[in-house]
Amino acid sequence: MRLVQAYTEELKWRDGNYVPKTLEEHLGVSARSSGGFTLASASLFAGVGGIATTDTFEWILNYPQLFKTFDMFVRFSNDIVSSQVIVYL
């Protein structure tokens, strides 16, 4: 759900020709739209199998700092790669 909300916010920015005023505002949306949270949480549940508890679900749904940081890492990694020029000879 957070991924869809972030995509929706980015579409509003695009359609309204809006440019975020600060890096924090930009990352507040673009980090979530990177898909890192979705990937990390799906991987976590696939890895732990049937031992995930209700507390584990609640912890993940509270979007802890671990996932926020991972989202920023994924966003920055994507931005760095997409800014590189690839020359084919």
Side-chain angles (χ1 to χ4, degrees):
M1 176 135 168
R2 284 187 170 101
L3 187 61
V4 173
Q5 290 171 337
Y7 286 158
T8 302
E9 187 67 24
E10 285 183 343
L11 287 172
K12 288 178 188 176
W13 286 358
R14 185 201 66 196
D15 293 345
N17 294 320
Y18 178 75
V19 177
K21 305 285 188 260
T22 64
L23 179 62
E24 290 79 21
E25 181 183 10
H26 169 67
L27 286 176
V29 175
S30 68
R32 286 184 293 144
S33 73
S34 70
F37 173 78
T38 305
L39 174 65
S41 57
S43 298
L44 177 67
F45 286 116
V48 298
I51 61 172
T53 64
T54 303
D55 291 336
T56 308
F57 284 107
E58 289 176 8
W59 175 72
I60 288 176
L61 291 176
N62 285 325
Y63 196 48
Q65 186 62 44
L66 173 69
F67 288 102
K68 291 177 188 175
T69 303
F70 184 67
D71 273 345
M72 283 191 281
F73 172 77
V74 172
R75 169 55 55 207
F76 290 142
S77 298
N78 179 273
D79 290 347
I80 289 169
V81 171
S82 65
S83 68
Q84 295 176 353
V85 177
I86 300 172
V87 178
Y88 295 101
L89 300 175

